[in-house]
């Protein structure tokens, strides 16, 4: 017995999917900026943490470049940002500050957890867009490389040594995946 051929998507399906991608990516970069801001705010106040605070500021700068580009893309393509932006901004800052209060290793574990989810997210989008929008796929590839560098630095700095590392990263990654799904639609 042959399977029925699924119906072809409507003309707006690709545009709607691209809008979801851009909305999520903009929200993710907004959150990343605020995670690093929260972490840096704590680390700047801790004696002997100047080097880590400087690393966090540098990574925040990379994320700000990504955020600015996604802001431009949303405007150029007529896509609204997620309505959850105020929530993500506050939650991200709290996550960053909270993990930094747990110590250097927990802050790095947070970075590793977030960047691992984002790397996989970008990889899927790159695959989906490589033939349909190669210029955007190339930009996402560059952003993905930056995220991988952040993740690798976090691992080098001892992310895996954080107290309750498996639990901490599992909770953060689950939160990231939920935020992605919510931001696609809302």
């Amino acid at each position: 017995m042959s399977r029925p051929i699924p119906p072809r998507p409507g003309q707006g399906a690709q545009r709607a999917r691209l809008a979801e991608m851009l909305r999520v990516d903009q929200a993710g970069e907004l959150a990343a900026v605020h995670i690093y801001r929260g972490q840096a705010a704590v680390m700047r106040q801790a004696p002997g943490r100047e080097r880590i605070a400087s690393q966090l500021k540098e990574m925040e700068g990379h994320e700000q470049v990504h955020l600015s580009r996604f802001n431009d893309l949303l405007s150029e393509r007529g896509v609204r940002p997620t309505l959850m932006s105020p929530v993500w901004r506050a939650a991200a800052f709290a996550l960053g500050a909270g993990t930094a209060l747990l110590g250097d290793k927990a802050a790095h574990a947070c970075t590793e957890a977030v960047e691992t989810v984002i790397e996989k997210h970008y990889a899927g989008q790159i695959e989906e867009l490589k033939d349909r929008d190669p210029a955007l796929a190339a930009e996402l590839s560059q952003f993905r490389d930056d995220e991988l560098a952040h993740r690798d630095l976090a691992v080098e700095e001892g992310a895996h040594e954080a107290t309750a590392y498996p639990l901490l990263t599992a909770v953060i990654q689950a939160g990231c995946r939920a935020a992605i799904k919510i931001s696609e639609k809302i």
Side-chain angles (χ1 to χ4, degrees), residues 8 11 17 22 26 43 45 83-84 87 118 128:
R8 293 181 61 158
Q11 287 184 324
R17 175 65 184 130
L22 294 176
Q26 189 269 354
M43 292 299 175
Q45 302 305 314
L83 297 174
M84 299 298 292
V87 174
I118 299 311
E128 190 174 337

Side-chain angles (χ1 to χ4, degrees), residues 4-24:
I5 297 172
R8 293 181 61 158
Q11 287 184 324
Q14 284 187 351
R15 188 173 193 285
R17 175 65 184 130
L18 182 60
E20 286 178 353
M21 286 183 198
L22 294 176
R23 184 172 23 265
V24 166

Side-chain angles (χ1 to χ4, degrees), residues 90-106:
F93 189 90
L95 175 63
T99 55
L101 286 168
L102 294 174
D104 302 359
K105 306 300 186 203

Side-chain angles (χ1 to χ4, degrees), residues 42-105:
V42 170
M43 292 299 175
R44 278 193 306 269
Q45 302 305 314
R49 302 289 195 269
E50 296 82 13
R51 184 182 65 80
I52 294 168
S54 176
Q55 287 174 338
L56 294 167
K57 191 69 178 163
E58 182 178 340
M59 290 188 290
E60 177 192 332
H62 300 157
E63 304 297 357
Q64 187 61 57
V65 168
H66 301 173
L67 175 59
S68 294
R69 180 61 184 135
F70 282 115
N71 286 339
D72 290 344
L73 285 166
L74 290 182
S75 180
E76 290 167 13
R77 298 187 186 211
V79 176
R80 67 163 176 78
T82 179
L83 297 174
M84 299 298 292
S85 291
V87 174
W88 297 157
R89 188 179 296 114
F93 189 90
L95 175 63
T99 55
L101 286 168
L102 294 174
D104 302 359
K105 306 300 186 203

Side-chain angles (χ1 to χ4, degrees), residues 2-183:
S2 67
R3 291 183 175 170
I5 297 172
R8 293 181 61 158
Q11 287 184 324
Q14 284 187 351
R15 188 173 193 285
R17 175 65 184 130
L18 182 60
E20 286 178 353
M21 286 183 198
L22 294 176
R23 184 172 23 265
V24 166
D25 292 348
Q26 189 269 354
E29 297 299 346
L30 176 73
V33 165
H34 285 83
I35 288 170
Y36 287 127
R37 283 183 184 169
Q39 290 175 333
V42 170
M43 292 299 175
R44 278 193 306 269
Q45 302 305 314
R49 302 289 195 269
E50 296 82 13
R51 184 182 65 80
I52 294 168
S54 176
Q55 287 174 338
L56 294 167
K57 191 69 178 163
E58 182 178 340
M59 290 188 290
E60 177 192 332
H62 300 157
E63 304 297 357
Q64 187 61 57
V65 168
H66 301 173
L67 175 59
S68 294
R69 180 61 184 135
F70 282 115
N71 286 339
D72 290 344
L73 285 166
L74 290 182
S75 180
E76 290 167 13
R77 298 187 186 211
V79 176
R80 67 163 176 78
T82 179
L83 297 174
M84 299 298 292
S85 291
V87 174
W88 297 157
R89 188 179 296 114
F93 189 90
L95 175 63
T99 55
L101 286 168
L102 294 174
D104 302 359
K105 306 300 186 203
H108 290 306
C110 175
T111 296
E112 182 200 10
V114 170
E115 300 297 18
T116 296
V117 171
I118 299 311
E119 182 276 324
K120 289 177 184 170
H121 177 73
Y122 275 149
Q125 288 183 339
I126 293 162
E127 183 63 29
E128 190 174 337
L129 291 171
K130 68 181 180 184
D131 296 326
R132 187 174 37 159
D133 194 337
L136 182 55
E139 281 188 277
L140 295 179
S141 290
Q142 179 57 54
F143 295 168
R144 179 178 174 240
D145 290 346
D146 292 343
E147 309 304 353
L148 286 169
H150 298 167
R151 184 197 66 196
D152 293 348
L153 177 64
V155 170
E156 288 172 21
E157 292 288 333
H160 295 172
E161 299 166 29
T163 302
Y165 169 80
L167 177 62
L168 182 63
T169 57
V171 169
I172 293 169
Q173 288 180 347
C176 289
R177 287 190 293 273
I180 287 169
K181 291 299 181 190
I182 292 168
S183 294

